[in-house]
Amino acid sequence: MKHIYAFCIAIVLFGTKAWAQPVSAYTNFQNQFMVWDNGIERKIESLLPVRYEIGRVAVPYLDNTRNFKIYSKGGVQLINQGFTSDFKVTDNLVAYRNNNALFVWENGTTTRLSNYISTYTVGDSVVLFFDNVRSVYKAYYGGNLYEIESFLGGGNNMTVDSNAVNDGLSIADGQLPSVKVSDNIAAFITYANRFKVFYHGETTELETFTVTSFDVGRNIVAYVDANRNFKVFYNGEVNEIESFTPASYKAGDNVMAYISNDGNFKIFYNGEVNTVGYFSPEYKVGDNIVAYKDASGYFKVFYKGKIYTLDAYYPQSYKISYNSLAYVNAAGMLRLFSEGEVYDVTNASTADWRLDYDVIQYRFGQNMYKIFYKGKTH
């Protein structure tokens, strides 16, 4: 194990290039529905939408007459007229229901997944659902459909859980879900109590006996096995990292943080366990980020192998998304940590703000909006 030493970072003006085109959306003071698309504002509806969600490359919404539409790459695509009852958006996908039928939209193309489903959940590039027609769990990934399992164990509660897993809670007692889905991976307990993962289009059995608990993130599954050993599935391999159950743990994108049985705060990253220190902090794990309160009360972030000091106090609330973290400090400054850089966004009084991946949208006055992205205010 290696020890990580913290260092402070300077405030700079420009970040690195994003992998995908950033979008945000809002309704202005004229009640027009606006999309901010990589620096360009576009009016896409003259009336307030019934509901909308913001993904990395798409903005799905129900317009004023409940027509379901998706904005992406500068244009609006009409999906259907009044049939959509539910929808979810992630980095790359939009999954939606028309009554009991399930569809997925990816890169402008719509695919029908099932005519009759009971439940579903979606990650950045995977959709997991129960097909009532065939009575089988299926996964959509990379444009293909895969049959996963006929029956799952536990309560068959599909979830994308944001809470840490604490020692003392178990799947067998119904305190934890038996199915979890993250960006590109799903983990589940079968009816025969075997523990399996669906990853890169393949289903792999990790344990033949039921596990006590587990959590998932992009490319990673952390779990406590039947003998209470703590293990990690990462890059297609299983490794035991502790012989005792941790006090708590949480997986995120390519990273996992935990408080070990002996009271050390540790972070698993890039195949290695990093010991941060002997303390039990408050912490959250997100997209490549572990944010925590250190032993001195400082607000710190572990990001891609380095530790950054953000502030001298730990904020009551903050948001993590897409290599980014946003919060308001004690002086009232809205701050953004994104891809290793820190930005002071604004110290003006804001009525509301939100973090859409690595884009900050904030409101002031009567529905007046500003967008902050990569060091620039729009």
Side-chain angles (χ1 to χ4, degrees):
M1 298 182 184
K2 64 180 182 180
H3 289 262
I4 300 296
Y5 297 92
F7 64 92
C8 296
I9 62 173
I11 296 174
V12 297
L13 293 178
F14 296 98
T16 56
K17 184 177 180 180
W19 290 107
Q21 178 174 294
V23 295
S24 189
Y26 58 90
T27 55
N28 65 16
F29 67 95
Q30 295 176 308
N31 287 332
Q32 297 169 330
F33 188 37
M34 308 291 294
V35 165
W36 182 90
D37 188 345
N38 200 23
I40 300 173
E41 286 184 313
R42 291 186 170 95
K43 183 184 76 173
I44 59 173
E45 297 288 340
S46 297
L47 299 174
L48 288 172
V50 174
R51 178 191 162 199
Y52 68 92
E53 301 289 341
I54 300 172
R56 182 61 182 170
V57 298
V59 179
Y61 65 97
L62 293 173
D63 73 8
N64 189 259
T65 57
R66 300 196 68 86
N67 294 323
F68 184 52
K69 301 176 180 179
I70 297 176
Y71 171 90
S72 182
K73 297 180 180 178
V76 174
Q77 183 179 357
L78 175 63
I79 304 300
N80 62 61
Q81 295 178 310
F83 298 108
T84 297
S85 55
D86 181 50
F87 61 91
K88 299 176 183 178
V89 63
T90 62
D91 282 18
N92 305 308
L93 306 178
V94 179
Y96 62 95
R97 292 180 66 161
N98 293 347
N99 294 320
N100 290 318
L102 181 65
F103 300 80
V104 65
W105 177 97
E106 183 174 16
N107 198 28
T109 301
T110 295
T111 303
R112 183 192 293 265
L113 302 183
S114 174
N115 288 323
Y116 185 36
I117 67 152
S118 57
T119 184
Y120 78 103
T121 189
V122 58
D124 285 352
S125 54
V126 61
V127 181
L128 184 67
F129 62 97
F130 185 74
D131 185 352
N132 282 354
V133 177
R134 297 281 306 279
S135 294
V136 64
Y137 282 88
K138 293 182 178 180
Y140 170 89
Y141 176 77
N144 298 310
L145 274 174
Y146 302 86
E147 290 194 1
I148 301 298
E149 198 79 25
S150 296
F151 299 97
L152 299 184
N156 293 341
N157 177 26
M158 295 185 187
T159 182
V160 179
D161 194 359
S162 60
N163 297 316
V165 179
N166 294 298
D167 187 22
L169 302 180
S170 72
I171 297 167
D173 292 337
Q175 299 163 314
L176 298 172
S178 59
V179 185
K180 286 188 178 183
V181 178
S182 186
D183 295 354
N184 63 348
I185 195 167
F188 54 92
I189 308 294
T190 71
Y191 190 74
N193 287 328
R194 296 174 183 267
F195 185 49
K196 297 183 179 183
V197 297
F198 175 80
Y199 182 57
H200 287 171
E202 295 184 356
T203 300
T204 303
E205 183 174 282
L206 302 187
E207 300 287 338
T208 56
F209 296 98
T210 188
V211 298
T212 302
S213 63
F214 66 92
D215 200 27
V216 298
R218 176 179 288 273
N219 300 317
I220 190 170
V221 178
Y223 65 95
V224 177
D225 72 8
N227 296 316
R228 299 186 64 79
N229 298 312
F230 190 39
K231 297 180 178 180
V232 168
F233 171 84
Y234 178 72
N235 277 346
E237 296 182 354
V238 174
N239 289 291
E240 181 181 317
I241 58 173
E242 299 279 347
S243 56
F244 296 96
T245 302
S248 69
Y249 66 96
K250 179 63 189 164
D253 286 8
N254 304 300
V255 67
M256 186 269 297
Y258 66 99
I259 299 172
S260 65
N261 177 264
D262 58 3
N264 281 291
F265 182 51
K266 301 181 181 182
I267 295 173
F268 177 89
Y269 174 74
N270 199 27
E272 294 184 330
V273 175
N274 306 279
T275 300
V276 181
Y278 181 69
F279 61 104
S280 300
E282 299 178 52
Y283 68 97
K284 292 182 181 180
V285 183
D287 294 355
N288 296 300
I289 286 177
V290 178
Y292 64 95
K293 179 181 180 180
D294 80 352
S296 300
Y298 280 69
F299 186 30
K300 294 186 177 181
V301 163
F302 176 97
Y303 176 70
K304 293 188 175 180
K306 296 180 180 180
I307 291 180
Y308 302 82
T309 299
L310 299 187
D311 231 306
Y313 92 112
Y314 188 75
Q316 290 185 339
S317 66
Y318 54 91
K319 298 177 182 178
I320 300 175
S321 179
Y322 203 77
N323 305 297
S324 303
L325 179 151
Y327 70 103
V328 177
N329 70 10
M333 176 69 72
L334 177 59
R335 306 191 85 198
L336 174 69
F337 171 89
S338 185
E339 296 182 338
E341 312 290 357
V342 175
Y343 305 95
D344 285 339
V345 178
T346 182
N347 59 2
S349 178
T350 58
D352 192 20
W353 63 271
R354 59 181 291 164
L355 179 63
D356 298 321
Y357 294 83
D358 52 353
V359 178
I360 282 193
Q361 171 197 127
Y362 59 95
R363 177 170 63 89
F364 57 96
Q366 187 176 1
N367 279 15
M368 301 292 290
Y369 287 88
K370 293 284 187 181
I371 303 292
F372 185 90
Y373 176 67
K374 297 296 183 188
K376 294 183 179 180
T377 300
H378 302 265

